[in-house]
Amino acid sequence: MTTGAIIMLVIGLGLTWGGAALCIRRAMKANKDE
């Protein structure tokens, strides 16, 4: 694999996990408010 491919892979994983973490945090906050 080239360096560019590895960087793209890391960024892609970071965005995916970051987005999932944000959704989970929002869901937990919404449940606490209710």
Side-chain angles (χ1 to χ4, degrees):
M1 279 171 59
T2 61
T3 309
I6 293 170
I7 291 169
M8 288 288 288
L9 212 153
V10 171
I11 291 171
L13 281 174
L15 285 173
T16 302
W17 285 107
L22 275 175
C23 288
I24 291 168
R25 279 187 187 177
R26 281 187 184 178
M28 287 184 75
K29 280 183 182 179
N31 288 338
K32 283 181 182 177
D33 289 342
E34 288 177 31

Coordinates of all heavy atoms in Angstrom, one line a residue:
M1 N 0.8 -1.2 0.0 CA 0.0 0.0 0.0 C 0.9 1.3 0.0 O 1.9 1.3 0.6 CB -0.9 0.0 1.3 CG -2.1 -0.9 1.1 SD -3.0 -1.0 2.7 CE -3.4 0.7 3.0
T2 N 0.4 2.3 -0.7 CA 1.2 3.5 -0.7 C 0.9 4.4 0.5 O -0.1 4.1 1.2 CB 0.8 4.3 -2.0 OG1 -0.6 4.6 -1.9 CG2 1.1 3.5 -3.3
T3 N 1.7 5.3 0.7 CA 1.5 6.2 1.9 C 0.2 6.9 1.8 O -0.6 7.1 2.8 CB 2.6 7.2 2.0 OG1 3.9 6.6 1.9 CG2 2.6 8.0 3.3
G4 N -0.2 7.4 0.6 CA -1.4 8.1 0.4 C -2.6 7.2 0.7 O -3.6 7.7 1.4
A5 N -2.6 5.9 0.3 CA -3.7 5.0 0.6 C -3.8 4.8 2.1 O -4.9 4.8 2.7 CB -3.4 3.7 0.0
I6 N -2.7 4.7 2.8 CA -2.8 4.5 4.3 C -3.4 5.8 5.0 O -4.2 5.7 5.9 CB -1.3 4.3 4.8 CG1 -0.9 2.9 4.3 CG2 -1.3 4.3 6.4 CD1 0.6 2.7 4.6
I7 N -3.0 7.0 4.5 CA -3.5 8.2 5.1 C -5.0 8.3 4.9 O -5.7 8.6 5.8 CB -2.8 9.4 4.5 CG1 -1.3 9.4 4.9 CG2 -3.5 10.7 4.9 CD1 -0.4 10.4 4.2
M8 N -5.4 8.0 3.6 CA -6.9 8.0 3.3 C -7.6 7.0 4.2 O -8.7 7.3 4.7 CB -7.1 7.7 1.9 CG -6.6 8.8 0.9 SD -7.7 10.2 0.9 CE -9.1 9.6 0.1
L9 N -7.0 5.9 4.4 CA -7.7 4.8 5.2 C -7.8 5.3 6.7 O -8.9 5.2 7.3 CB -6.8 3.6 5.2 CG -7.6 2.3 5.3 CD1 -6.8 1.1 4.6 CD2 -7.8 1.9 6.8
V10 N -6.8 5.9 7.2 CA -6.8 6.4 8.6 C -7.8 7.5 8.8 O -8.6 7.5 9.7 CB -5.4 6.9 9.0 CG1 -5.4 7.6 10.4 CG2 -4.4 5.7 9.1
I11 N -7.8 8.5 7.8 CA -8.8 9.6 7.9 C -10.2 9.0 7.8 O -11.1 9.5 8.5 CB -8.5 10.6 6.7 CG1 -7.2 11.3 7.0 CG2 -9.7 11.6 6.6 CD1 -6.7 12.1 5.8
G12 N -10.4 8.1 6.9 CA -11.8 7.5 6.7 C -12.2 6.8 8.0 O -13.4 7.0 8.4
L13 N -11.3 6.0 8.6 CA -11.7 5.4 9.9 C -12.0 6.4 11.0 O -12.9 6.3 11.7 CB -10.6 4.5 10.3 CG -10.5 3.1 9.6 CD1 -9.2 2.4 10.0 CD2 -11.7 2.3 9.9
G14 N -11.2 7.5 11.0 CA -11.3 8.5 12.0 C -12.7 9.2 11.9 O -13.4 9.4 12.9
L15 N -13.1 9.5 10.6 CA -14.4 10.1 10.4 C -15.5 9.2 10.8 O -16.5 9.6 11.4 CB -14.5 10.5 8.9 CG -13.7 11.7 8.5 CD1 -13.7 11.9 7.0 CD2 -14.2 13.0 9.2
T16 N -15.4 7.9 10.4 CA -16.4 6.9 10.7 C -16.6 6.8 12.3 O -17.7 6.9 12.8 CB -16.1 5.6 10.1 OG1 -15.9 5.8 8.7 CG2 -17.2 4.6 10.4
W17 N -15.5 6.6 13.0 CA -15.6 6.4 14.4 C -16.0 7.7 15.1 O -16.8 7.7 16.1 CB -14.3 5.9 15.0 CG -14.1 4.4 14.7 CD1 -13.2 3.9 13.8 CD2 -14.8 3.3 15.2 NE1 -13.4 2.5 13.7 CE2 -14.3 2.1 14.6 CE3 -15.8 3.2 16.2 CZ2 -14.8 0.9 15.0 CZ3 -16.3 1.9 16.5 CH2 -15.8 0.8 15.9
G18 N -15.5 8.8 14.6 CA -15.8 10.1 15.2 C -17.3 10.4 15.0 O -18.0 10.8 16.0
G19 N -17.9 10.1 13.9 CA -19.3 10.3 13.6 C -20.1 9.4 14.5 O -21.1 9.8 15.1
A20 N -19.7 8.2 14.7 CA -20.5 7.2 15.5 C -20.5 7.7 17.0 O -21.5 7.7 17.6 CB -19.9 5.8 15.4
A21 N -19.3 8.2 17.4 CA -19.2 8.6 18.8 C -20.1 9.8 19.0 O -20.7 9.9 20.1 CB -17.7 9.0 19.1
L22 N -20.2 10.7 18.0 CA -21.0 11.9 18.2 C -22.5 11.5 18.3 O -23.2 12.0 19.1 CB -20.8 12.8 17.0 CG -19.6 13.8 17.1 CD1 -19.5 14.6 15.8 CD2 -19.9 14.8 18.2
C23 N -22.9 10.6 17.4 CA -24.3 10.1 17.5 C -24.6 9.5 18.8 O -25.7 9.7 19.4 CB -24.5 9.1 16.3 SG -24.5 9.8 14.7
I24 N -23.7 8.7 19.3 CA -23.9 8.0 20.6 C -24.0 9.1 21.7 O -24.9 9.0 22.6 CB -22.8 7.0 20.9 CG1 -22.9 5.9 20.0 CG2 -22.9 6.5 22.4 CD1 -21.7 5.0 20.0
R25 N -23.2 10.1 21.7 CA -23.2 11.1 22.7 C -24.5 11.9 22.7 O -25.2 12.2 23.7 CB -22.1 12.1 22.5 CG -20.7 11.6 23.1 CD -19.7 12.7 23.0 NE -18.3 12.2 23.3 CZ -17.2 12.9 23.3 NH1 -17.3 14.1 22.8 NH2 -16.1 12.4 23.6
R26 N -25.0 12.2 21.4 CA -26.3 13.0 21.3 C -27.4 12.1 21.8 O -28.3 12.6 22.5 CB -26.5 13.3 19.8 CG -25.7 14.5 19.3 CD -26.0 14.9 17.9 NE -25.2 15.9 17.4 CZ -25.3 16.4 16.2 NH1 -26.2 16.0 15.4 NH2 -24.6 17.4 15.8
A27 N -27.4 10.8 21.5 CA -28.5 9.9 21.9 C -28.5 9.9 23.5 O -29.6 9.9 24.1 CB -28.3 8.5 21.4
M28 N -27.3 9.8 24.1 CA -27.3 9.7 25.6 C -27.8 11.0 26.2 O -28.5 11.0 27.2 CB -25.8 9.4 26.0 CG -25.4 8.0 25.7 SD -23.8 7.6 26.3 CE -24.1 7.5 28.1
K29 N -27.4 12.1 25.6 CA -27.8 13.4 26.1 C -29.3 13.6 26.0 O -30.0 14.0 26.9 CB -27.1 14.6 25.4 CG -25.7 14.8 25.9 CD -25.1 16.0 25.1 CE -23.6 16.2 25.6 NZ -23.0 17.3 24.8
A30 N -29.9 13.1 24.8 CA -31.3 13.2 24.6 C -32.1 12.4 25.6 O -33.1 12.8 26.2 CB -31.6 12.8 23.2
N31 N -31.6 11.2 25.9 CA -32.2 10.3 26.9 C -32.2 11.0 28.3 O -33.2 10.9 29.0 CB -31.5 9.0 27.0 CG -31.8 8.2 25.7 OD1 -32.8 8.4 25.0 ND2 -30.9 7.2 25.4
K32 N -31.1 11.6 28.7 CA -31.0 12.2 30.0 C -32.0 13.4 30.1 O -32.6 13.6 31.1 CB -29.5 12.7 30.2 CG -28.6 11.6 30.5 CD -27.2 12.1 30.8 CE -26.2 11.0 31.0 NZ -24.8 11.5 31.2
D33 N -32.1 14.2 29.0 CA -33.0 15.3 29.1 C -34.5 14.8 29.3 O -35.2 15.5 30.0 CB -32.9 16.1 27.8 CG -31.6 16.8 27.7 OD1 -31.0 17.0 28.7 OD2 -31.2 17.2 26.6
E34 N -34.8 13.7 28.7 CA -36.2 13.2 28.8 C -36.4 12.7 30.3 O -37.3 13.0 30.9 CB -36.5 12.1 27.8 CG -36.6 12.6 26.4 CD -36.8 11.5 25.4 OE1 -37.4 10.5 25.8 OE2 -36.3 11.6 24.3

